[in-house]
């Protein structure tokens, strides 16, 4: 994500690797807008994840790390668990970019649940 000097989001870029992980082909079927991702959040995770996302963006110090686990609806494999991390970088007290990483942790979560049973 990129921001202008007033802190307003001006662009979102989803990598092709991320699109592939969740079953999409290109920008046509998964546009570079925030709602492409946020609309796929599991209803039980939606509010918590977005609250953390916006809290990270609003921390203009760049010290807050976005680090959450949540379920996301993939195009071809149903809901999968992901760990997402991200950090804001900026200048002069306003955000400039927000860079993050997504990792599919479904197998780890399923193994952990089986061990607890």
């Amino acid at each position: 994500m990129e921001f202008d000097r007033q802190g307003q989001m001006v662009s979102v870029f989803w990598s092709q690797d991320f699109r592939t992980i969740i079953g999409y082909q290109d920008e046509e079927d998964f546009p570079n807008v925030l709602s492409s991702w946020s609309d796929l959040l599991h209803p039980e995770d939606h509010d918590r994840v977005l609250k953390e996302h916006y809290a990270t963006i609003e921390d203009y110090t760049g010290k807050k790390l976005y680090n959450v686990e949540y379920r996301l609806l993939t195009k071809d494999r149903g809901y999968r668990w992901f760990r997402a991390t991200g950090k804001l970088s900026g200048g002069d007290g306003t955000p400039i970019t927000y860079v993050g990483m997504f990792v599919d942790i479904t197998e780890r979560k399923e193994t952990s649940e089986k061990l607890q049973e």
Side-chain angles (χ1 to χ4, degrees):
M1 292 175 213
E2 292 184 345
F3 300 85
D4 64 17
R5 287 284 183 194
Q6 289 73 43
Q8 299 297 311
M9 189 182 312
V10 294
S11 69
V12 174
F13 174 77
W14 300 110
S15 73
Q16 188 55 43
D17 289 340
F18 176 68
R19 284 187 177 95
T20 300
I21 288 170
I22 61 172
Y24 290 88
Q25 298 297 312
D26 52 35
E27 190 176 343
E28 188 173 311
D29 68 347
F30 196 86
N32 282 325
V33 294
L34 188 62
S35 61
S36 293
W37 164 77
S38 63
D39 288 351
L40 299 178
L41 290 167
H42 190 282
E44 293 176 6
D45 301 332
H46 185 270
D47 292 348
R48 172 181 58 84
V49 171
L50 287 182
K51 181 179 178 182
E52 277 298 307
H53 172 78
Y54 285 112
T56 304
I57 289 174
E58 292 167 0
D59 175 29
Y60 293 167
T61 67
K63 293 179 182 175
K64 180 166 177 42
L65 179 65
Y66 177 74
N67 187 11
V68 294
E69 293 182 0
Y70 60 85
R71 291 159 289 184
L72 191 70
L73 183 61
T74 63
K75 186 174 183 179
D76 55 351
R77 297 179 297 154
Y79 281 102
R80 305 279 297 177
W81 278 98
F82 290 87
R83 172 176 289 282
T85 59
K87 188 171 182 184
L88 191 69
S89 66
D92 302 328
T94 59
I96 302 298
T97 59
Y98 179 90
V99 179
M101 178 180 74
F102 296 88
V103 178
D104 187 331
I105 60 167
T106 304
E107 290 180 21
R108 180 182 65 80
K109 293 290 270 189
E110 289 172 351
T111 300
S112 178
E113 287 174 8
K114 287 178 185 175
L115 289 173
Q116 289 180 359
E117 291 175 3

